[in-house]
Amino acid sequence: MKLAYWMYAGPAHIGTLRVASSFKNVHAIMHAPLGDDYFNVMRSMLERERDFTPVTASIVDRHVLARGSQEKVVENITRKDQQEKPDLILLTPTCTSSILQEDLQNFVERATRQTNSNILLADVNHYRVNEFQAADRTLEQIISFYLDKTMQLQEEIRKTEKPSANILGIFTLGFHHQHDCREIYRLLTDLGIDINQIIPEGCFVTDLKKIPEAWFNIVPYREIGLMAAQYLEKKYNMPYVSITPMGLVETASWIRKIARILDKNYEKYIDQQTRFVSQAAWFSRSIDCQNLTGKKALVFGDATHAASMTKILVREMGINVCCAGTYCKNDADWFREQVQGFCDQILITEDHTQVGNMIAQIEPAAIFGTQMERHVGKRLDIPCGVISAPIHIQNFPLSYRPFLGYEGTNQIADLVYNSFTLGMEDHLLEIFGGHDVKTVITKNLSTDENLLWNLEAQTELQKIPGFVRNRIKRNTEKFARSKQIKEITVEVMYAAKEALAG
Amino acid sequence: MGTLKFECETGNYHTFCPISCVSWLYQKITDSFFLVIGTKTCGYFLQNALGVMIFAEPRYAMAELEEGDISAQLHDFDELKRLCLQIQKDRNPSVIVWIGTCTTEIIKMDLEGMAPKIEEFIGRPIIVARANGLDYAFTQGEDTVLAAMAHRCPEYAYHALPTFIGQVTPVREERPIRDLVSPLVLFGSLPNTVAQQLTRELEHQGIHVSGWLPEARYEELPELGAGVFVCGVHPFLSRTATTLMRRRKCQLIGAPFPIGPDGTRAWIEKICQVFNKTPQNLDERESNIWKNLEEFFPLIKGKSVFFMGDNLLEISLARFLIRCGMIVYEIGIPYMDKRFQASELQLLERTCKEMNVAIPPIVEKPDNSNQIQRIRALKPDLVITGLAHSNPLEARGITTKWSVEFTFAQIHGFTNARDILELITRPLRRNNHLKDLGWAKLVSEAAEKA
């Protein structure tokens, strides 16, 4: 048992449902108790989805607990088959239903006999994998199911005439996925490459048989799509590009990787885009960015975005990343390898309090993280740019905001610059006697606070400019602890200052 | 006109998991800590449903069950003891509430058995409520918590008399029995200001409210026992009512619920009747409130409403809206306790007669996909529904109001009747603003048929 307030990655079935509802005409039926269909709310609200989310629950209630689902699941499947005529119905176990140990595969087989749709049972262990791993696996499962099915009939795979690519891993509820997808499309069009299939967003499962017609696969995000790409490489000899084209340097290596696959030369295009089309290269030379040199930042998020962001901040903007971290524990090795040499320390954790304490400890000038880090930033008065899921509705912007490709580099430059200047502005306000009077001084995140600041000392602390206040507070407390002082007075503050100065 | 008709469908409907009750209960009971014993799924739901609340260091947490807990490799007693000790150390609450979930039901974790032992160990009361999705919907979560809490209220002793200043004076032998005023305890969690408003409303009638279940602090729970009258303020509290009657020997006042001026009036009248008081100025009070609501009527008179049903407030809200001149096509509701809601149902019936409209069918355990078919056929002016269906319906030109808002907004008593109509008319007012733009339907023809 684990005491938890917040989690970065959702439970497995969320991943499976994200795959199912990204496809067109695929319906997911969850074997779940009442209330577990919260996914529908998220999709309808966060994505502002106009259509009904194709997810229903076959409710597990007291009766099911007592007698088993019996006909219920099969009935729900056949009913959905008749009502909506989906191509595929994906039966999705949840954490609750997986401990009931009902033979869901048997339901699938029974239902298959009565339906026109294909029926699949999502092959996911709810206690071992998280949302991303489950999505990765489900995508592979669906692709291999349809390829195995059709390839027996087909004699030979015909590649498209023009070079073409599949994009694997554009999802509903993905962080800026729709925008990224459009940006990749633009890039590929510039390079004279067609898109064969975008999978799974907006794709029909009946079209999956065309996957092998593409020349290669693109996996923009590490978390979801890699398993499918590896499967396709093994089975159909399709090369894939798993570099994330985020930032100027990585976008260039992404294009070069494609160039190698197609045996082409895109150097001129890269140079033109980097220097003149994207503003990011010029931005990093401009005076604004010079001011950011050596500023401290902390980066935390999924493996893809946190690694890319770290590299952009350090390599392309000269910012000092004190700590880079990810919650994708299963991908820790890859992450370490990516950010090695780009940051002072690496943090791999799923515990948000650990991230919060790290932020409180190093006090960066800006944070680039998830919504959780944004809130930590609020409490500590540190600006935060959101770069990764988990996210809120404001991270599903209506306007065009890719993180990938050349337009993505512009967006990221804005995000970084705005975070830092806002921070500066704040400090200047405080130095010149700012407009708000803050009375809260305990902004520390740790709960083992046992030191008492007397009123006078608190007032004294308030007089210290905001951007050094925390440091002075902490140093004083450190000093007090070392001297076994319980109550902090103005004298103690001065003594601490003197001790440190000496 | 007809009579009340009850139907029951498949129960494939969307609602919140009952563990969501921690979100308002931890705020109400300020010295409590809620520990939800469940899986990642429960945690994910709470963290997303609670939105920004989660960042405000809430007094709730998940005891997240891992594979070792499910397969009983880890000793659940030791695990819970460890977590509760930590909570006690970090937060020092007056009470820890364990929320049992679907998983603890299925693996048959004996929460009720373990709680007293751990309680003794940490020296802090532990209350167990099984607010799971196998048995309950959304607001019924509060019902399970309050029912469990009712056991912890101190025993009401006959020899103690509450006076109006809130002190307790011992009764002298010579005092005649008829001077004894039976205490009245109201049950249902309401924001403190709303609870205060209702308390005052009764005080104007000379009726003293001796306590609320729950109070703002756990340590202030009211005395219960034989001779205590209890009355509910929410329609979803049937278990609590049963517990109060059967286990605590209280007398239940069955009344309509104080939602809308008509409901509030009926609620007060019923309580007055029990305490043998003639209601004072109630006519005037009610008609003044109605007068204040007049500006809304042109917007809603004759308009039709469809309740898909997810929070059990549906009967009371429908009754109020019918009184406001609306026509209700269907009242979907997760669970219908005809005994606990008897007075409310009668008032609904009477309201329909007086307003000369047909009594809407009450659909228990509705089937959302059937309901959407009916909505398409009936084309109601307003659908009151959960967030899963709101946007898709709006895109099809059907106006919706998000039902969960009624659970979080202040809707009880005379004072807050206005808030209900603010909520109800908001989408209609929005429609009036945007009506000439010509883009009410925002899905393709093909998608609409699908």
Side-chain angles (χ1 to χ4, degrees), chain A residues 158-160 162-167 185 188 193-199 203 207-217 238:
Chain A
R158 252 206 231 128
K159 293 284 173 195
T160 55
K162 245 179 97 184
S164 67
N166 300 313
I167 305 175
Y185 170 78
L188 291 179
I193 300 165
D194 284 342
I195 289 187
N196 183 50
Q197 302 265 292
I198 296 166
I199 304 162
C203 176
D207 287 341
L208 290 177
K209 58 174 184 281
K210 292 188 211 147
I211 288 180
E213 291 171 15
W215 293 29
F216 67 104
N217 291 316
M238 298 178 76

PDB file of all heavy atoms in Angstrom, chain A residues 158-160 162-167 185 188 193-199 203 207-217 238:
ATOM      1  N   ARG A 158       2.868  -4.032 -51.771  1.00  0.00           N
ATOM      2  CA  ARG A 158       3.309  -3.034 -52.750  1.00  0.00           C
ATOM      3  C   ARG A 158       3.571  -1.719 -52.071  1.00  0.00           C
ATOM      4  O   ARG A 158       2.696  -1.165 -51.434  1.00  0.00           O
ATOM      5  CB  ARG A 158       2.239  -2.865 -53.833  1.00  0.00           C
ATOM      6  CG  ARG A 158       2.702  -3.481 -55.127  1.00  0.00           C
ATOM      7  CD  ARG A 158       2.038  -2.810 -56.304  1.00  0.00           C
ATOM      8  NE  ARG A 158       1.489  -3.880 -57.107  1.00  0.00           N
ATOM      9  CZ  ARG A 158       0.244  -3.937 -57.518  1.00  0.00           C
ATOM     10  NH1 ARG A 158      -0.590  -2.981 -57.221  1.00  0.00           N
ATOM     11  NH2 ARG A 158      -0.170  -4.948 -58.239  1.00  0.00           N
ATOM     12  N   LYS A 159       4.752  -1.200 -52.217  1.00  0.00           N
ATOM     13  CA  LYS A 159       5.057   0.102 -51.610  1.00  0.00           C
ATOM     14  C   LYS A 159       4.444   1.208 -52.468  1.00  0.00           C
ATOM     15  O   LYS A 159       4.253   1.025 -53.682  1.00  0.00           O
ATOM     16  CB  LYS A 159       6.582   0.302 -51.553  1.00  0.00           C
ATOM     17  CG  LYS A 159       7.289  -0.653 -50.608  1.00  0.00           C
ATOM     18  CD  LYS A 159       7.095  -0.241 -49.154  1.00  0.00           C
ATOM     19  CE  LYS A 159       7.657  -1.299 -48.225  1.00  0.00           C
ATOM     20  NZ  LYS A 159       7.190  -1.142 -46.847  1.00  0.00           N
ATOM     21  N   THR A 160       4.159   2.341 -51.834  1.00  0.00           N
ATOM     22  CA  THR A 160       3.622   3.464 -52.607  1.00  0.00           C
ATOM     23  C   THR A 160       4.667   3.955 -53.597  1.00  0.00           C
ATOM     24  O   THR A 160       5.876   3.780 -53.384  1.00  0.00           O
ATOM     25  CB  THR A 160       3.254   4.643 -51.684  1.00  0.00           C
ATOM     26  OG1 THR A 160       4.405   4.969 -50.915  1.00  0.00           O
ATOM     27  CG2 THR A 160       2.114   4.275 -50.773  1.00  0.00           C
ATOM     28  N   LYS A 162       5.438   7.184 -54.557  1.00  0.00           N
ATOM     29  CA  LYS A 162       6.232   8.258 -53.942  1.00  0.00           C
ATOM     30  C   LYS A 162       6.650   7.802 -52.547  1.00  0.00           C
ATOM     31  O   LYS A 162       5.938   7.005 -51.934  1.00  0.00           O
ATOM     32  CB  LYS A 162       5.360   9.516 -53.827  1.00  0.00           C
ATOM     33  CG  LYS A 162       5.841  10.674 -54.670  1.00  0.00           C
ATOM     34  CD  LYS A 162       4.905  11.847 -54.506  1.00  0.00           C
ATOM     35  CE  LYS A 162       5.412  12.840 -53.472  1.00  0.00           C
ATOM     36  NZ  LYS A 162       4.477  13.936 -53.224  1.00  0.00           N
ATOM     37  N   PRO A 163       7.767   8.301 -52.026  1.00  0.00           N
ATOM     38  CA  PRO A 163       8.124   7.952 -50.648  1.00  0.00           C
ATOM     39  C   PRO A 163       6.984   8.339 -49.691  1.00  0.00           C
ATOM     40  O   PRO A 163       6.403   9.411 -49.848  1.00  0.00           O
ATOM     41  CB  PRO A 163       9.357   8.803 -50.349  1.00  0.00           C
ATOM     42  CG  PRO A 163       9.850   9.275 -51.653  1.00  0.00           C
ATOM     43  CD  PRO A 163       8.741   9.207 -52.651  1.00  0.00           C
ATOM     44  N   SER A 164       6.667   7.471 -48.768  1.00  0.00           N
ATOM     45  CA  SER A 164       5.586   7.778 -47.839  1.00  0.00           C
ATOM     46  C   SER A 164       5.899   7.219 -46.460  1.00  0.00           C
ATOM     47  O   SER A 164       6.706   6.303 -46.312  1.00  0.00           O
ATOM     48  CB  SER A 164       4.262   7.206 -48.342  1.00  0.00           C
ATOM     49  OG  SER A 164       4.330   5.801 -48.317  1.00  0.00           O
ATOM     50  N   ALA A 165       5.222   7.784 -45.453  1.00  0.00           N
ATOM     51  CA  ALA A 165       5.487   7.378 -44.066  1.00  0.00           C
ATOM     52  C   ALA A 165       4.181   7.214 -43.304  1.00  0.00           C
ATOM     53  O   ALA A 165       3.177   7.832 -43.630  1.00  0.00           O
ATOM     54  CB  ALA A 165       6.342   8.444 -43.383  1.00  0.00           C
ATOM     55  N   ASN A 166       4.196   6.358 -42.316  1.00  0.00           N
ATOM     56  CA  ASN A 166       3.104   6.288 -41.345  1.00  0.00           C
ATOM     57  C   ASN A 166       3.544   7.060 -40.100  1.00  0.00           C
ATOM     58  O   ASN A 166       4.703   6.996 -39.712  1.00  0.00           O
ATOM     59  CB  ASN A 166       2.817   4.855 -40.915  1.00  0.00           C
ATOM     60  CG  ASN A 166       2.423   3.976 -42.075  1.00  0.00           C
ATOM     61  OD1 ASN A 166       1.583   4.353 -42.895  1.00  0.00           O
ATOM     62  ND2 ASN A 166       3.027   2.800 -42.154  1.00  0.00           N
ATOM     63  N   ILE A 167       2.603   7.746 -39.498  1.00  0.00           N
ATOM     64  CA  ILE A 167       2.904   8.371 -38.199  1.00  0.00           C
ATOM     65  C   ILE A 167       2.208   7.544 -37.132  1.00  0.00           C
ATOM     66  O   ILE A 167       0.983   7.410 -37.130  1.00  0.00           O
ATOM     67  CB  ILE A 167       2.410   9.827 -38.153  1.00  0.00           C
ATOM     68  CG1 ILE A 167       3.004  10.592 -39.330  1.00  0.00           C
ATOM     69  CG2 ILE A 167       2.795  10.479 -36.838  1.00  0.00           C
ATOM     70  CD1 ILE A 167       2.489  12.007 -39.441  1.00  0.00           C
ATOM     71  N   TYR A 185       3.179  16.817 -40.700  1.00  0.00           N
ATOM     72  CA  TYR A 185       2.642  16.750 -42.056  1.00  0.00           C
ATOM     73  C   TYR A 185       3.282  17.834 -42.929  1.00  0.00           C
ATOM     74  O   TYR A 185       3.716  17.582 -44.055  1.00  0.00           O
ATOM     75  CB  TYR A 185       1.121  16.912 -42.003  1.00  0.00           C
ATOM     76  CG  TYR A 185       0.477  17.108 -43.345  1.00  0.00           C
ATOM     77  CD1 TYR A 185       0.272  16.020 -44.199  1.00  0.00           C
ATOM     78  CD2 TYR A 185       0.088  18.377 -43.782  1.00  0.00           C
ATOM     79  CE1 TYR A 185      -0.298  16.202 -45.447  1.00  0.00           C
ATOM     80  CE2 TYR A 185      -0.480  18.563 -45.024  1.00  0.00           C
ATOM     81  CZ  TYR A 185      -0.673  17.482 -45.858  1.00  0.00           C
ATOM     82  OH  TYR A 185      -1.229  17.656 -47.088  1.00  0.00           O
ATOM     83  N   LEU A 188       6.908  16.905 -43.686  1.00  0.00           N
ATOM     84  CA  LEU A 188       7.030  15.822 -44.664  1.00  0.00           C
ATOM     85  C   LEU A 188       6.662  16.322 -46.065  1.00  0.00           C
ATOM     86  O   LEU A 188       7.299  15.944 -47.051  1.00  0.00           O
ATOM     87  CB  LEU A 188       6.132  14.647 -44.269  1.00  0.00           C
ATOM     88  CG  LEU A 188       6.557  13.878 -43.012  1.00  0.00           C
ATOM     89  CD1 LEU A 188       5.579  12.752 -42.717  1.00  0.00           C
ATOM     90  CD2 LEU A 188       7.972  13.324 -43.132  1.00  0.00           C
ATOM     91  N   ILE A 193       7.499  13.974 -49.030  1.00  0.00           N
ATOM     92  CA  ILE A 193       7.098  12.655 -48.541  1.00  0.00           C
ATOM     93  C   ILE A 193       5.608  12.662 -48.255  1.00  0.00           C
ATOM     94  O   ILE A 193       5.097  13.602 -47.638  1.00  0.00           O
ATOM     95  CB  ILE A 193       7.879  12.293 -47.252  1.00  0.00           C
ATOM     96  CG1 ILE A 193       9.374  12.272 -47.540  1.00  0.00           C
ATOM     97  CG2 ILE A 193       7.421  10.947 -46.686  1.00  0.00           C
ATOM     98  CD1 ILE A 193      10.237  12.278 -46.304  1.00  0.00           C
ATOM     99  N   ASP A 194       4.910  11.645 -48.714  1.00  0.00           N
ATOM    100  CA  ASP A 194       3.476  11.541 -48.452  1.00  0.00           C
ATOM    101  C   ASP A 194       3.226  10.894 -47.109  1.00  0.00           C
ATOM    102  O   ASP A 194       4.049  10.109 -46.635  1.00  0.00           O
ATOM    103  CB  ASP A 194       2.791  10.668 -49.518  1.00  0.00           C
ATOM    104  CG  ASP A 194       2.629  11.434 -50.818  1.00  0.00           C
ATOM    105  OD1 ASP A 194       2.720  12.676 -50.772  1.00  0.00           O
ATOM    106  OD2 ASP A 194       2.426  10.777 -51.855  1.00  0.00           O
ATOM    107  N   ILE A 195       2.053  11.193 -46.527  1.00  0.00           N
ATOM    108  CA  ILE A 195       1.660  10.447 -45.336  1.00  0.00           C
ATOM    109  C   ILE A 195       0.760   9.312 -45.772  1.00  0.00           C
ATOM    110  O   ILE A 195      -0.240   9.523 -46.455  1.00  0.00           O
ATOM    111  CB  ILE A 195       0.950  11.363 -44.322  1.00  0.00           C
ATOM    112  CG1 ILE A 195       1.984  12.304 -43.706  1.00  0.00           C
ATOM    113  CG2 ILE A 195       0.283  10.530 -43.234  1.00  0.00           C
ATOM    114  CD1 ILE A 195       1.460  13.132 -42.571  1.00  0.00           C
ATOM    115  N   ASN A 196       1.153   8.125 -45.429  1.00  0.00           N
ATOM    116  CA  ASN A 196       0.360   6.952 -45.789  1.00  0.00           C
ATOM    117  C   ASN A 196      -0.794   6.781 -44.811  1.00  0.00           C
ATOM    118  O   ASN A 196      -1.950   6.760 -45.207  1.00  0.00           O
ATOM    119  CB  ASN A 196       1.282   5.725 -45.816  1.00  0.00           C
ATOM    120  CG  ASN A 196       0.565   4.469 -46.239  1.00  0.00           C
ATOM    121  OD1 ASN A 196      -0.122   4.472 -47.255  1.00  0.00           O
ATOM    122  ND2 ASN A 196       0.711   3.407 -45.455  1.00  0.00           N
ATOM    123  N   GLN A 197      -0.459   6.702 -43.525  1.00  0.00           N
ATOM    124  CA  GLN A 197      -1.485   6.552 -42.491  1.00  0.00           C
ATOM    125  C   GLN A 197      -1.062   7.332 -41.248  1.00  0.00           C
ATOM    126  O   GLN A 197       0.110   7.352 -40.903  1.00  0.00           O
ATOM    127  CB  GLN A 197      -1.612   5.091 -42.045  1.00  0.00           C
ATOM    128  CG  GLN A 197      -1.951   4.113 -43.138  1.00  0.00           C
ATOM    129  CD  GLN A 197      -3.441   3.872 -43.191  1.00  0.00           C
ATOM    130  OE1 GLN A 197      -4.009   3.293 -42.303  1.00  0.00           O
ATOM    131  NE2 GLN A 197      -4.063   4.346 -44.241  1.00  0.00           N
ATOM    132  N   ILE A 198      -2.074   7.934 -40.598  1.00  0.00           N
ATOM    133  CA  ILE A 198      -1.826   8.472 -39.259  1.00  0.00           C
ATOM    134  C   ILE A 198      -2.542   7.526 -38.303  1.00  0.00           C
ATOM    135  O   ILE A 198      -3.740   7.290 -38.445  1.00  0.00           O
ATOM    136  CB  ILE A 198      -2.384   9.901 -39.117  1.00  0.00           C
ATOM    137  CG1 ILE A 198      -1.641  10.838 -40.065  1.00  0.00           C
ATOM    138  CG2 ILE A 198      -2.268  10.383 -37.673  1.00  0.00           C
ATOM    139  CD1 ILE A 198      -2.323  12.178 -40.239  1.00  0.00           C
ATOM    140  N   ILE A 199      -1.800   6.974 -37.374  1.00  0.00           N
ATOM    141  CA  ILE A 199      -2.376   5.936 -36.517  1.00  0.00           C
ATOM    142  C   ILE A 199      -2.145   6.299 -35.055  1.00  0.00           C
ATOM    143  O   ILE A 199      -1.022   6.636 -34.689  1.00  0.00           O
ATOM    144  CB  ILE A 199      -1.699   4.575 -36.798  1.00  0.00           C
ATOM    145  CG1 ILE A 199      -1.842   4.257 -38.296  1.00  0.00           C
ATOM    146  CG2 ILE A 199      -2.301   3.454 -35.963  1.00  0.00           C
ATOM    147  CD1 ILE A 199      -0.880   3.196 -38.770  1.00  0.00           C
ATOM    148  N   CYS A 203      -8.122   7.171 -37.748  1.00  0.00           N
ATOM    149  CA  CYS A 203      -7.838   6.086 -38.686  1.00  0.00           C
ATOM    150  C   CYS A 203      -8.892   4.985 -38.562  1.00  0.00           C
ATOM    151  O   CYS A 203      -9.377   4.702 -37.473  1.00  0.00           O
ATOM    152  CB  CYS A 203      -6.445   5.542 -38.353  1.00  0.00           C
ATOM    153  SG  CYS A 203      -5.945   4.132 -39.305  1.00  0.00           S
ATOM    154  N   ASP A 207      -8.371   0.176 -42.535  1.00  0.00           N
ATOM    155  CA  ASP A 207      -7.278   0.690 -43.372  1.00  0.00           C
ATOM    156  C   ASP A 207      -5.905   0.261 -42.891  1.00  0.00           C
ATOM    157  O   ASP A 207      -4.899   0.539 -43.545  1.00  0.00           O
ATOM    158  CB  ASP A 207      -7.324   2.229 -43.415  1.00  0.00           C
ATOM    159  CG  ASP A 207      -8.482   2.729 -44.258  1.00  0.00           C
ATOM    160  OD1 ASP A 207      -8.994   1.932 -45.076  1.00  0.00           O
ATOM    161  OD2 ASP A 207      -8.880   3.894 -44.088  1.00  0.00           O
ATOM    162  N   LEU A 208      -5.871  -0.412 -41.762  1.00  0.00           N
ATOM    163  CA  LEU A 208      -4.567  -0.766 -41.193  1.00  0.00           C
ATOM    164  C   LEU A 208      -3.790  -1.696 -42.118  1.00  0.00           C
ATOM    165  O   LEU A 208      -2.565  -1.755 -42.068  1.00  0.00           O
ATOM    166  CB  LEU A 208      -4.738  -1.419 -39.811  1.00  0.00           C
ATOM    167  CG  LEU A 208      -5.198  -0.482 -38.692  1.00  0.00           C
ATOM    168  CD1 LEU A 208      -5.407  -1.254 -37.399  1.00  0.00           C
ATOM    169  CD2 LEU A 208      -4.194   0.641 -38.473  1.00  0.00           C
ATOM    170  N   LYS A 209      -4.506  -2.393 -42.962  1.00  0.00           N
ATOM    171  CA  LYS A 209      -3.804  -3.314 -43.866  1.00  0.00           C
ATOM    172  C   LYS A 209      -2.883  -2.574 -44.830  1.00  0.00           C
ATOM    173  O   LYS A 209      -1.974  -3.164 -45.396  1.00  0.00           O
ATOM    174  CB  LYS A 209      -4.824  -4.169 -44.625  1.00  0.00           C
ATOM    175  CG  LYS A 209      -5.833  -3.402 -45.450  1.00  0.00           C
ATOM    176  CD  LYS A 209      -6.683  -4.385 -46.260  1.00  0.00           C
ATOM    177  CE  LYS A 209      -7.645  -3.663 -47.193  1.00  0.00           C
ATOM    178  NZ  LYS A 209      -8.845  -3.162 -46.471  1.00  0.00           N
ATOM    179  N   LYS A 210      -3.115  -1.273 -44.970  1.00  0.00           N
ATOM    180  CA  LYS A 210      -2.258  -0.501 -45.881  1.00  0.00           C
ATOM    181  C   LYS A 210      -0.942  -0.056 -45.234  1.00  0.00           C
ATOM    182  O   LYS A 210      -0.113   0.572 -45.893  1.00  0.00           O
ATOM    183  CB  LYS A 210      -3.016   0.752 -46.355  1.00  0.00           C
ATOM    184  CG  LYS A 210      -4.185   0.452 -47.257  1.00  0.00           C
ATOM    185  CD  LYS A 210      -4.736   1.758 -47.809  1.00  0.00           C
ATOM    186  CE  LYS A 210      -6.238   1.665 -48.046  1.00  0.00           C
ATOM    187  NZ  LYS A 210      -6.890   2.973 -47.815  1.00  0.00           N
ATOM    188  N   ILE A 211      -0.800  -0.330 -43.937  1.00  0.00           N
ATOM    189  CA  ILE A 211       0.424   0.123 -43.236  1.00  0.00           C
ATOM    190  C   ILE A 211       1.706  -0.240 -43.980  1.00  0.00           C
ATOM    191  O   ILE A 211       2.553   0.621 -44.205  1.00  0.00           O
ATOM    192  CB  ILE A 211       0.464  -0.436 -41.791  1.00  0.00           C
ATOM    193  CG1 ILE A 211      -0.559   0.280 -40.929  1.00  0.00           C
ATOM    194  CG2 ILE A 211       1.852  -0.269 -41.178  1.00  0.00           C
ATOM    195  CD1 ILE A 211      -0.588  -0.200 -39.491  1.00  0.00           C
ATOM    196  N   PRO A 212       1.870  -1.512 -44.393  1.00  0.00           N
ATOM    197  CA  PRO A 212       3.157  -1.891 -44.993  1.00  0.00           C
ATOM    198  C   PRO A 212       3.445  -1.220 -46.332  1.00  0.00           C
ATOM    199  O   PRO A 212       4.556  -1.323 -46.834  1.00  0.00           O
ATOM    200  CB  PRO A 212       3.023  -3.412 -45.174  1.00  0.00           C
ATOM    201  CG  PRO A 212       1.933  -3.827 -44.253  1.00  0.00           C
ATOM    202  CD  PRO A 212       0.990  -2.678 -44.225  1.00  0.00           C
ATOM    203  N   GLU A 213       2.462  -0.523 -46.887  1.00  0.00           N
ATOM    204  CA  GLU A 213       2.718   0.158 -48.159  1.00  0.00           C
ATOM    205  C   GLU A 213       3.629   1.374 -47.989  1.00  0.00           C
ATOM    206  O   GLU A 213       4.214   1.855 -48.949  1.00  0.00           O
ATOM    207  CB  GLU A 213       1.388   0.605 -48.793  1.00  0.00           C
ATOM    208  CG  GLU A 213       0.554  -0.568 -49.271  1.00  0.00           C
ATOM    209  CD  GLU A 213      -0.849  -0.162 -49.692  1.00  0.00           C
ATOM    210  OE1 GLU A 213      -1.101   1.050 -49.886  1.00  0.00           O
ATOM    211  OE2 GLU A 213      -1.697  -1.068 -49.829  1.00  0.00           O
ATOM    212  N   ALA A 214       3.710   1.886 -46.756  1.00  0.00           N
ATOM    213  CA  ALA A 214       4.596   3.033 -46.513  1.00  0.00           C
ATOM    214  C   ALA A 214       6.052   2.585 -46.562  1.00  0.00           C
ATOM    215  O   ALA A 214       6.364   1.425 -46.343  1.00  0.00           O
ATOM    216  CB  ALA A 214       4.273   3.655 -45.169  1.00  0.00           C
ATOM    217  N   TRP A 215       6.942   3.541 -46.809  1.00  0.00           N
ATOM    218  CA  TRP A 215       8.368   3.218 -46.883  1.00  0.00           C
ATOM    219  C   TRP A 215       8.995   3.103 -45.500  1.00  0.00           C
ATOM    220  O   TRP A 215       9.934   2.372 -45.290  1.00  0.00           O
ATOM    221  CB  TRP A 215       9.111   4.296 -47.696  1.00  0.00           C
ATOM    222  CG  TRP A 215       8.727   4.321 -49.155  1.00  0.00           C
ATOM    223  CD1 TRP A 215       7.533   3.953 -49.681  1.00  0.00           C
ATOM    224  CD2 TRP A 215       9.543   4.738 -50.245  1.00  0.00           C
ATOM    225  NE1 TRP A 215       7.547   4.119 -51.033  1.00  0.00           N
ATOM    226  CE2 TRP A 215       8.775   4.604 -51.419  1.00  0.00           C
ATOM    227  CE3 TRP A 215      10.862   5.225 -50.355  1.00  0.00           C
ATOM    228  CZ2 TRP A 215       9.262   4.921 -52.678  1.00  0.00           C
ATOM    229  CZ3 TRP A 215      11.350   5.552 -51.604  1.00  0.00           C
ATOM    230  CH2 TRP A 215      10.551   5.392 -52.765  1.00  0.00           C
ATOM    231  N   PHE A 216       8.451   3.875 -44.587  1.00  0.00           N
ATOM    232  CA  PHE A 216       8.991   3.818 -43.211  1.00  0.00           C
ATOM    233  C   PHE A 216       7.975   4.362 -42.218  1.00  0.00           C
ATOM    234  O   PHE A 216       6.943   4.913 -42.624  1.00  0.00           O
ATOM    235  CB  PHE A 216      10.317   4.592 -43.115  1.00  0.00           C
ATOM    236  CG  PHE A 216      10.187   6.077 -43.314  1.00  0.00           C
ATOM    237  CD1 PHE A 216      10.245   6.946 -42.241  1.00  0.00           C
ATOM    238  CD2 PHE A 216      10.017   6.614 -44.588  1.00  0.00           C
ATOM    239  CE1 PHE A 216      10.127   8.308 -42.428  1.00  0.00           C
ATOM    240  CE2 PHE A 216       9.901   7.986 -44.784  1.00  0.00           C
ATOM    241  CZ  PHE A 216       9.961   8.839 -43.700  1.00  0.00           C
ATOM    242  N   ASN A 217       8.250   4.205 -40.934  1.00  0.00           N
ATOM    243  CA  ASN A 217       7.361   4.685 -39.882  1.00  0.00           C
ATOM    244  C   ASN A 217       8.011   5.806 -39.074  1.00  0.00           C
ATOM    245  O   ASN A 217       9.229   5.824 -38.909  1.00  0.00           O
ATOM    246  CB  ASN A 217       6.986   3.553 -38.930  1.00  0.00           C
ATOM    247  CG  ASN A 217       6.094   2.531 -39.594  1.00  0.00           C
ATOM    248  OD1 ASN A 217       5.157   2.880 -40.306  1.00  0.00           O
ATOM    249  ND2 ASN A 217       6.408   1.254 -39.398  1.00  0.00           N
ATOM    250  N   MET A 238      10.055  -2.803 -41.990  1.00  0.00           N
ATOM    251  CA  MET A 238       9.900  -1.361 -42.175  1.00  0.00           C
ATOM    252  C   MET A 238      10.812  -0.607 -41.215  1.00  0.00           C
ATOM    253  O   MET A 238      10.732  -0.804 -40.016  1.00  0.00           O
ATOM    254  CB  MET A 238       8.448  -0.932 -41.892  1.00  0.00           C
ATOM    255  CG  MET A 238       7.437  -1.553 -42.824  1.00  0.00           C
ATOM    256  SD  MET A 238       5.774  -1.027 -42.377  1.00  0.00           S
ATOM    257  CE  MET A 238       5.785   0.653 -43.024  1.00  0.00           C
TER     258      MET A 238
END
